[in-house]
């Protein structure tokens, strides 16, 4: 991995680690996740060889291709595309015109890749699949961020991600201006309704969690989900709660919940969050709003990789 990509990732994680909702995943861990995504995807797509290219493109042939935008939104995945090209063939050259997070329109050229024609073709589908989805996520996230302008609420993603592609999808949320929730099950405690029910109630779940963390010498933040105002009150009787997840509340009850919680811990709204409701939930005074729609309900941005003569 060259120096500029490494610097980008390091800066990316220093920003994350400065946030209140810290993701306990290191820079090296994240890079490893990305490398695994690339390795597995190339194996899945190429197998024992790209026989279409091998059959009709000479090994010595060299060419160029441009990443063409056929849509409108926020571009994401440029740095990841560079990683893919380097993984497939380190001799490929990339000339970048538009960076991650910038707005794009129909007809824009994001970059031009040059080098071995066979290598460009081998990397093409993974680059497009990744950038199309990441750009869609970044675009949707940016639209939600814009809807929150003037409020103090921040938009969070969730674990409702594509299996095997989570690192890229959460990266895309950051590119779109959103915040990352926990990365996985291991870096934050979230006691949801099933945890509380299986543990014999909210207080039992919280006490057992505190004992578990102490016994295993783990320092993880605790988020507890509430389904109604009575559960909000019960959670508030316990110390050491980082955030209360106000789940599937209507607007009026959300306002009451925020008033009850005050400054005792952070607040987060979830459930029924969409373009029509997000602003009203933000105006209830919550600190965060989480939406699985950022990653599970997007339509890929239309991009293509076209040979340049």
């Amino acid at each position: 991995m060259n120096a500029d990509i490494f610097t980008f990732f390091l800066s990316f994680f220093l920003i994350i680690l400065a946030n209140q909702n810290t993701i306990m995943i290191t820079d090296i861990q994240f890079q490893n996740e990305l490398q695994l995504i690339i390795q597995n995807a190339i194996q899945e797509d190429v197998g024992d060889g790209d026989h279409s290219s091998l059959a009709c493109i000479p090994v010595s042939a060299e060419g160029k291709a441009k990443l063409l935008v056929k849509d409108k939104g926020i571009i994401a995945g440029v740095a990841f595309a560079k990683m893919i090209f380097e993984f497939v063939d380190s001799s490929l050259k990339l000339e970048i015109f538009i960076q991650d997070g910038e707005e794009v329109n129909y007809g824009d050229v994001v970059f031009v890749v040059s080098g071995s024609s066979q290598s460009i073709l081998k990397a093409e589908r993974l680059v497009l699949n990744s950038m199309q989805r990441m750009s869609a996520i970044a675009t949707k996230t940016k639209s939600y961020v814009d809807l929150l302008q003037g409020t103090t609420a921040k938009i969070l993603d969730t674990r409702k991600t594509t299996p095997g592609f989570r690192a890229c999808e959460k990266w895309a949320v950051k590119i779109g201006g959103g915040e990352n929730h926990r990365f996985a099950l291991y870096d934050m405690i979230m006691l949801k309704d099933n945890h509380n029910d299986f543990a014999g109630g909210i207080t039992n779940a919280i006490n057992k969690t505190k004992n578990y963390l102490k016994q295993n010498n783990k320092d993880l933040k605790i988020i507890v989900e509430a389904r109604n105002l009575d559960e909000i009150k019960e959670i508030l009787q316990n110390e050491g709660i980082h955030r209360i997840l106000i789940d599937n509340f209507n607007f009026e009850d959300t306002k009451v919940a925020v008033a009850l919680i005050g400054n005792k811990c952070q607040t987060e709204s979830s459930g029924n969050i969409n373009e029509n409701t997000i602003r009203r939930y933000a105006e209830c005074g919550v600190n965060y709003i989480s939406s699985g729609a950022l990653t599970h309900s997007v339509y890929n941005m239309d991009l293509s990789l076209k040979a340049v003569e």
Side-chain angles (χ1 to χ4, degrees), residues 66-73 75 97-98 103-112 301-304 306 308:
K66 61 183 179 181
L67 195 287
L68 181 65
V69 179
K70 302 164 71 175
D71 212 332
K72 183 177 181 180
I75 200 71
F97 307 111
I98 302 175
E103 292 187 10
V104 290
N105 292 285
Y106 190 97
D108 285 344
V109 175
V110 178
F111 60 70
V112 170
M301 180 181 285
D302 194 358
L303 306 170
S304 64
K306 294 294 185 182
V308 178

Side-chain angles (χ1 to χ4, degrees), residues 53 56-64 89 92 114-121:
S53 299
C56 64
I57 307 295
V59 174
S60 60
E62 294 200 346
K64 292 183 178 180
D89 183 346
L92 291 174
S114 58
S116 165
S117 298
Q118 285 192 2
S119 297
I120 292 172
L121 290 166

Side-chain angles (χ1 to χ4, degrees), residues 242-262:
H242 176 65
R243 188 185 308 155
I244 295 179
L245 179 58
I246 306 169
D247 189 52
N248 282 300
F249 278 47
N250 59 37
F251 301 123
E252 292 306 315
D253 284 347
T254 299
K255 291 178 184 177
V256 174
V258 169
L260 284 171
I261 296 166

Side-chain angles (χ1 to χ4, degrees), residues 38-161:
I38 295 171
Q39 180 179 334
N40 290 336
I42 291 295
Q43 175 59 38
E44 176 185 61
D45 198 38
V46 178
D48 69 348
D50 173 11
H51 299 300
S52 301
S53 299
L54 292 170
C56 64
I57 307 295
V59 174
S60 60
E62 294 200 346
K64 292 183 178 180
K66 61 183 179 181
L67 195 287
L68 181 65
V69 179
K70 302 164 71 175
D71 212 332
K72 183 177 181 180
I74 303 297
I75 200 71
V78 178
F80 188 57
K82 189 169 185 179
M83 290 184 66
I84 295 168
F85 285 125
E86 289 185 346
F87 180 90
V88 170
D89 183 346
S90 61
S91 70
L92 291 174
K93 304 298 182 184
L94 203 62
E95 186 178 6
I96 299 171
F97 307 111
I98 302 175
Q99 300 289 344
D100 283 325
E102 293 186 28
E103 292 187 10
V104 290
N105 292 285
Y106 190 97
D108 285 344
V109 175
V110 178
F111 60 70
V112 170
V113 59
S114 58
S116 165
S117 298
Q118 285 192 2
S119 297
I120 292 172
L121 290 166
K122 183 187 291 186
E124 175 184 11
R125 180 43 52 197
L126 178 54
V127 167
L128 287 174
N129 286 351
S130 301
M131 290 194 65
Q132 286 174 325
R133 183 154 186 82
M134 289 178 71
S135 296
I137 291 169
T139 300
K140 190 174 187 73
T141 302
K142 178 61 163 58
S143 72
Y144 276 25
V145 170
D146 289 346
L147 289 170
L148 295 179
Q149 289 295 321
T151 74
T152 58
K154 296 180 180 179
I155 187 69
L156 295 173
D157 56 21
T158 69
R159 284 172 45 244
K160 296 176 182 178
T161 54

